[in-house]
Amino acid sequence: MKCFDYATLSREQWAGGIGEVRDIVCWPVADDFAWRVCFTSIHQNGALGQFPDVDRSIVLLKGKGIRLTSPGFLEHELVKKMIPFHFSGDIRGHAELLDGSVQCFNILTRRSSWVSEISVVTAERRLPTSHSGVLYVLKGRWEMSGTNSVQLAFGQGAWWLPEDIREGAIKPLVADSQLLWVDLHPNE
């Protein structure tokens, strides 16, 4: 299990100051990922990155919302927080801010080989031993137990590959705790 803290993730600015990205993981390598999980902050209207053969999922974390468009292919207002929206990375699109900057959680999977499932978790859950995943604490404090025990708070998370976990669970330590849970499976 590899733990991370949003505050210490390296930040890459987009050209023209439109926004920035903070990668959590690009597996197996950044230049040719099978799956990628990152945070994006968007400060100005602009073009969406195009990713051929990639399925995209985006979750609004902060801000009033964003309109995603591509004539004839995509027209969606992302305004509800913590609700994933899925769309094709093949299309050229545009992002228009609805009322100020936004911060989003993004999952990109190579369509020919991977799929992702995203949910919000509020109760104890077994850590999967058969597939990859990512979790990110939205509220409260959580404890991961297993070979090693670690506590995670808001802004922290972890990611893993199947061989990383032999057993374990994650459970909330305080009431009203929430985390984003991403299951990553090979596309069969």
Side-chain angles (χ1 to χ4, degrees):
M1 206 85 29
K2 290 97 176 157
C3 294
F4 67 88
D5 188 313
Y6 174 85
T8 62
L9 292 173
S10 62
R11 192 169 57 170
E12 182 181 329
Q13 295 288 331
W14 295 341
I18 293 171
E20 66 184 36
V21 65
R22 294 178 189 229
D23 277 320
I24 296 169
V25 56
C26 291
W27 185 84
V29 293
D31 293 341
D32 188 25
F33 64 84
W35 52 268
R36 175 185 182 190
V37 182
C38 62
F39 295 98
T40 54
S41 295
I42 304 171
H43 309 300
Q44 298 175 25
N45 299 341
L48 289 173
Q50 186 177 21
F51 297 94
D53 188 38
V54 168
D55 286 328
R56 298 178 72 164
S57 298
I58 186 170
V59 178
L60 180 64
L61 297 177
K62 294 180 183 176
K64 299 288 185 181
I66 189 167
R67 181 178 295 113
L68 306 171
T69 59
S70 178
F73 295 101
L74 174 66
E75 179 74 35
H76 181 77
E77 284 192 2
L78 185 65
V79 293
K80 293 184 180 177
K81 292 182 175 79
M82 311 318 156
I83 306 295
F85 176 66
H86 312 283
F87 63 103
S88 172
D90 294 316
I91 60 174
R92 289 194 186 276
H94 185 78
E96 179 185 345
L97 298 169
L98 298 178
D99 185 15
S101 296
V102 296
Q103 182 188 67
C104 300
F105 186 83
N106 298 273
I107 300 93
L108 293 85
T109 53
R110 188 74 55 198
R111 182 177 307 117
S112 57
S113 54
W114 288 87
V115 296
S116 67
E117 297 172 28
I118 306 152
S119 57
V120 175
V121 173
T122 58
E124 183 171 347
R125 190 178 257 194
R126 302 279 321 145
L127 295 172
T129 58
S130 61
H131 56 84
S132 301
V134 179
L135 57 88
Y136 175 67
V137 177
L138 299 168
K139 289 170 64 176
R141 287 193 349 265
W142 294 77
E143 181 176 54
M144 286 191 305
S145 60
T147 306
N148 297 314
S149 183
V150 64
Q151 289 190 14
L152 299 171
F154 169 73
Q156 298 176 322
W159 66 274
W160 61 91
L161 300 173
E163 61 270 12
D164 293 342
I165 302 174
R166 289 183 178 48
E167 64 179 354
I170 186 160
K171 66 179 179 182
L173 296 175
V174 296
D176 202 29
S177 291
Q178 290 183 336
L179 59 82
L180 273 178
W181 181 281
V182 181
D183 282 320
L184 293 152
H185 301 273
N187 189 2
E188 300 180 73

